[in-house]
Amino acid sequence: MFQTNFQQQPRKIYVLQRTQSQLPMNLQQQPQEQKLEYFQQSKIAHQPVMQTLQYQMNPHINQLKFKQGESVQQTQLGQQIVYQPNLQNIQRSIVAQKIINYQDDELIQPKKENAKQTAKYDLIENLQFEIKTLYKMVKLFPTKAQYLPGIVSIKAKDQTITQNHENQRVGIDLICLIDISGSMIGVKIQMVKQSLIVLLQFLGDNDRLQLITFDDDAHRLTPLKRVTKQNKIYFTQIIQQIQANGGNQISEATKMAFCQLRHRKYINNVTSIFLLSDGVDYTFPEIKEQIKTVNEVFTLHTFGFGQDHDAPMMTQICNLKSGSFYFVQDVTLLDEFFADALGGLISVVGEQLEITITSQAPPPYQNIQISKTYGNMWQKKGNQYYITQPQFASGSRKDYVFEIALPKFQGRIQDYQRSIGVLFAELKIQDPINRSIIKIKARLDLNLFNQDEQINENIYPDIDVYAQYFRVKGTEVIDEARKACEQNKNEDAEKLIDNMLIQIQKIPNVAAQCTGIIQDLQQAKQASARTSYSLFGQKQMCQMVSNNYQQGGVNSLFSAQGMQLQQVQPAAYQNVQQQQMMVQVQKSKIPQKFI
């Protein structure tokens, strides 16, 4: 491939030059799968000779130094040379090779089922899978159609894992992509480095970590390496050397991370990518195409810093792989958000979740079908809907909300036609440890009545369905309010939110189950104010919409003065493991902004 800097400085070409000692050991024995990146250009203009050090670490050299007891280095690794070639040799291409061996990941034995294991999580015993609607008994009318909310729900019982019982949990492959653009200089990059070191405390021998920084290019600081006690010293040394100075090209970092996933020799139980950035980037279409080349199962979580990052794009990126978006206005809270994301990975008990929903209502009710779905998780083909999720954690739930259309019905319902099967659902989920696949089926039945018939049983709505329906309807309103603010219709946005709050709170027993979305709506109203929206409101509302549909992450809270608040009450989508890890991080710090 060709990479030049002609756009910024059209009369220069940069070539990365390494000494022989800086190349990977046993170069001749490198596998064919290694990646070769060529930088080649034949159109060279007259320029004086100049040398500048380039920021780049060589993971192979650093590993060797670390094993020999020497400190890792970030300089003396390469030179970026702007030079004037001999015009007599202008016909010769100038080629520099940057050799990346993605198969240097450290040997890991992914955790397998062990007869001596005392805390095995039994998916069949601990999962609940069901499909239900707001009402089980409904009347059909000849003059009007109706719409009935429903949910497909999967819940997993909670479990906690102590640091002394790491064998109880899955092993993790985690790749961190770290923005080192010029805007990260100062407190941002320092807090990122500090948070990465905190992250090491929660990782253990069964986990592997890789660090990649990016500016206009991606820099592979470490291989995918086990987080043993000794290697934590190695990672700490690497982290402390990170410096910020450059541009911002997220797609270069994701390309490198996806290459690592495709070409690693060993695969751990659970895989995830953390993307950290504070800037604006326009490479989402490229990232969207890149991710299509990766068949591995993983999640992608994004962390956006400060006021300048592109929150809509960060939510788009995390939604590509069912991740969460963490809005970090106050960078001192980054380590707490890290704890939440990592806690979700540590407690994964299922992966490659697939749900199939089939509409099969018998005649004359064949038109009773799903008419609307909420969120971008649903895919339709014929009379079937499909939902996929890469990972599922203990103590979590996923509720996929829909509406069923009950069309006008001119006929007469007979007794033998009252109870009908409307929807049929099947769940497939894989155990991340022994790779066995669990299948669970569920069915939605409705009892139908004529308009003039009396239903003798008391009809009460399903509060759980009500709560999940208001979660997505409230989220829909937050998104509409955000769009109104983008058109400078901030007062209209506040009215939309007020109307939704009134609708939820007029049913007290339902409102009691909707504390999460009520809090989000109140925060969204505050964020819709003109002074707030430009400072933090847009990003906060983007986060709410993404996380609420995914039922993951921690939605940021802000005071009336616009200060980001520390989370001291359990977040709506946290399990016990995530709560405990976040509290542990908070206790290790000086108390900050509590609510």
Side-chain angles (χ1 to χ4, degrees), residues 135-139 418-419 447-449 453-461:
Y135 296 98
K136 293 182 179 179
M137 294 177 285
V138 295
K139 289 185 177 182
R418 291 195 188 282
S419 182
N447 291 323
L448 307 179
F449 293 84
E453 289 184 314
Q454 181 71 32
I455 301 177
N456 296 324
E457 300 179 39
N458 292 327
I459 304 176
Y460 296 104

Side-chain angles (χ1 to χ4, degrees), residues 329-451:
Q329 180 88 327
D330 182 347
V331 291
T332 64
L333 301 178
L334 174 61
D335 50 3
E336 300 177 29
F337 295 136
F338 266 13
D340 179 79
L342 185 59
L345 297 176
I346 285 175
S347 49
V348 165
V349 293
E351 61 179 8
Q352 297 192 63
L353 179 152
E354 296 180 8
I355 298 175
T356 305
I357 303 104
T358 306
S359 297
Q360 287 185 345
Y365 311 114
Q366 64 272 15
N367 291 327
I368 298 179
Q369 296 182 4
I370 293 176
S371 59
K372 182 176 180 179
T373 58
Y374 291 86
N376 61 1
M377 301 80 66
W378 296 78
Q379 295 180 352
K380 185 180 181 183
K381 186 176 181 181
N383 69 333
Q384 291 186 318
Y385 285 88
Y386 301 91
I387 300 168
T388 60
Q389 185 79 21
Q391 296 163 359
F392 190 63
S394 63
S396 66
R397 62 182 294 171
K398 299 293 181 185
D399 302 279
Y400 305 100
V401 183
F402 60 88
E403 291 180 10
I404 286 183
L406 302 174
K408 299 176 184 178
F409 186 73
Q410 302 294 336
R412 185 79 183 170
I413 300 170
Q414 303 300 319
D415 287 342
Y416 69 90
Q417 297 176 318
R418 291 195 188 282
S419 182
I420 62 168
V422 177
L423 297 176
F424 300 85
E426 181 179 68
L427 165 69
K428 293 181 182 178
I429 188 168
Q430 180 173 281
D431 189 311
I433 295 176
N434 60 27
R435 303 298 178 185
S436 62
I437 296 177
I438 308 301
K439 295 182 181 181
I440 307 175
K441 294 184 178 182
R443 165 180 170 138
L444 173 64
D445 291 329
L446 291 179
N447 291 323
L448 307 179
F449 293 84
N450 295 298
Q451 177 183 5

